Amino acid sequence: MKKKTAATGKEVFSKSLQHAIMADRLNVELDLPKLGKQDVEDLQAILSGKKVPTFEVDMKRAINALTRSDRSAASAKLLTSILSDEQQPSKARSLAALNLSVFPLEKTEATLIGHLDSKDRLVQAAAIRSLGRAGSSKALDALQRLTISDERVRKQLSFATSAIEFRTKSSGKRSSDDLGESLGVGWNDFAAKTIKGAEVRKSIDQIWGATYGIELNPEVAMEFQCGNLKHSVFLNKAFKKGAFTKAIQSEKMIAGLVALDEDSHLTIRYVLLSVPTKDGASLAVARTDGDVLYTGETTSGRGGLDFKIRDVGLSGAPLEVNGTLKDDDVEVSFRVWQNSPVRKKRGVSIEA
């Protein structure tokens, strides 16, 4: 976000100001000190166009330097003018909007509210975020009248309205007392269906490919629908009727396989691993390529071993699996993220 300038006259600026706002500087902004009075006045003149330096100014660094160094009405007015100037780059305007959140509310709120319907999505999102940081009940009313189609901005809007509600103790037009729902967190809850006997054996016969060297329990399995995809969960044959909990606590094993229904056949997609622990078992679900996607554990519960498994890997949608392993049956329920999934990134090692 750089603004090119041309020299006019022989304006002289201090080294501290140049270091703070020059485009070719690599200093980390957080390490820079506040500017002195004269530097602030010069910077205000530069940003207002009254003075034009001979060097290239980085607008981001300049706006941040002003906010860091001076919280006067004059600086608030200057940032307001940058925000309202449609000739300014979107990034400069949105940064001005964000920085206005640290100035006295009576100097900034009306302007920020006025930009909530901006056609510039960066500016609109920044105004929402800034009001979330500092807005009053007046801002809350304006925010709750907004209709946002962009999912990322909509999440910011949900968070901003909640932040104002909690800060001002105002309920506004809150649609739900569920915190997750009010923040735009979307979960879909459903349970797996148990299948038994001949239906299980028919499904096992439809599996193409290896079953990882284990025989599958021909009497009990589960099915669940995730979106348009039907999955089947098969247990290791080591799970004998009347002794399921004993089996999982007896030895480390491939406890089960999860297959995807491909219309004419089933394909193994996930492998369930278990290791006995003092209180039950440690669980992990891996893809067939070796990526571990979910881990969890069992705990003693009424009528069996309760278990909880959560996503830890590169899965596209967060998932939580809860259930109870009984001696002759398994109850399983799912909570799946129903908003747009974001693929997780791998960590990068740092060597010192």
Side-chain angles (χ1 to χ4, degrees):
M1 189 162 54
K2 300 175 181 178
K3 181 179 179 181
K4 293 186 176 181
T5 61
T8 59
K10 295 183 178 180
E11 298 284 2
V12 177
F13 302 103
S14 71
K15 288 185 177 180
S16 59
L17 178 57
Q18 293 181 54
H19 281 301
I21 69 174
M22 287 179 70
D24 62 354
R25 296 296 176 178
L26 299 177
N27 315 68
V28 177
E29 289 184 78
L30 292 176
D31 294 337
L32 294 174
K34 292 182 179 180
L35 298 174
K37 181 180 178 181
Q38 184 58 55
D39 284 341
V40 167
E41 291 178 358
D42 286 338
L43 180 53
Q44 289 172 336
I46 291 171
L47 288 173
S48 64
K50 295 177 181 178
K51 292 184 179 181
V52 182
T54 58
F55 52 83
E56 189 176 356
V57 174
D58 185 312
M59 283 292 285
K60 176 178 181 293
R61 293 170 68 88
I63 291 172
N64 285 341
L66 181 65
T67 306
R68 178 174 69 247
S69 306
D70 184 68
R71 305 288 172 81
S72 68
S75 289
K77 183 177 180 180
L78 181 54
L79 292 184
T80 296
S81 69
I82 292 174
L83 168 59
S84 302
D85 184 358
E86 295 185 0
Q87 300 304 311
Q88 289 281 358
S90 291
K91 289 185 178 180
R93 296 179 65 204
S94 61
L95 184 60
L98 286 175
N99 283 358
L100 282 174
S101 66
V102 301
F103 288 84
L105 190 61
E106 64 271 13
K107 303 290 185 183
T108 64
E109 186 172 41
T111 298
L112 289 169
I113 290 174
H115 284 81
L116 289 177
D117 59 355
S118 174
K119 295 180 180 179
D120 187 317
R121 292 306 182 197
L122 280 179
V123 172
Q124 182 187 49
I128 292 171
R129 187 174 178 185
S130 193
L131 288 169
R133 292 175 176 178
S136 68
S137 56
K138 184 185 296 184
L140 178 61
D141 291 340
L143 289 168
Q144 290 182 324
R145 289 195 295 268
L146 283 181
T147 300
I148 303 294
S149 57
D150 183 274
E151 184 177 333
R152 288 183 179 275
V153 181
R154 191 166 63 245
K155 288 179 181 179
Q156 186 66 62
L157 175 62
S158 296
F159 177 72
T161 54
S162 293
I164 297 174
E165 287 175 14
F166 294 176
R167 180 170 62 249
T168 64
K169 313 302 181 187
S170 171
S171 61
K173 299 177 182 177
R174 194 175 186 80
S175 60
S176 172
D177 289 329
D178 183 278
L179 184 57
E181 183 179 340
S182 66
L183 289 173
V185 177
W187 293 95
N188 185 24
D189 297 301
F190 60 94
K193 181 183 75 172
T194 300
I195 58 174
K196 296 185 177 182
E199 193 174 356
V200 177
R201 293 187 286 276
K202 179 181 178 181
S203 294
I204 291 175
D205 288 340
Q206 291 180 315
I207 296 175
W208 285 9
T211 58
Y212 285 80
I214 66 171
E215 291 187 67
L216 301 177
N217 186 315
E219 300 299 329
V220 178
M222 286 146 286
E223 291 181 347
F224 66 91
Q225 195 84 13
C226 187
N228 295 322
L229 304 176
K230 179 181 176 182
H231 294 75
S232 298
V233 183
F234 299 100
L235 299 175
N236 192 316
K237 194 175 181 179
F239 288 88
K240 305 292 185 183
K241 188 174 178 61
F244 282 11
T245 57
K246 181 179 179 180
I248 203 167
Q249 293 176 292
S250 63
E251 60 181 346
K252 57 185 178 183
M253 67 168 73
I254 296 176
L257 303 173
V258 181
L260 177 65
D261 190 335
E262 305 275 12
D263 292 330
S264 62
H265 64 280
L266 301 179
T267 303
I268 302 300
R269 289 297 181 92
Y270 307 104
V271 180
L272 172 61
L273 308 172
S274 69
V275 175
T277 62
K278 180 181 178 180
D279 300 316
S282 177
L283 307 171
V285 178
R287 278 199 306 228
T288 55
D289 63 4
D291 270 334
V292 176
L293 301 183
Y294 313 100
T295 62
E297 57 190 14
T298 68
T299 56
S300 296
R302 296 178 63 182
L305 294 174
D306 293 333
F307 60 85
K308 177 176 287 189
I309 303 173
R310 294 208 59 180
D311 63 295
V312 295
L314 299 174
S315 61
L319 170 71
E320 180 178 286
V321 183
N322 296 283
T324 301
L325 179 68
K326 301 180 179 181
D327 280 336
D328 57 1
D329 196 7
V330 185
E331 296 177 354
V332 184
S333 63
F334 301 85
R335 296 196 78 208
V336 180
W337 182 254
Q338 63 183 9
N339 296 83
S340 299
V342 177
R343 187 170 177 81
K344 300 175 184 177
K345 297 180 180 179
R346 295 180 183 274
V348 179
S349 62
I350 301 175
E351 297 182 2

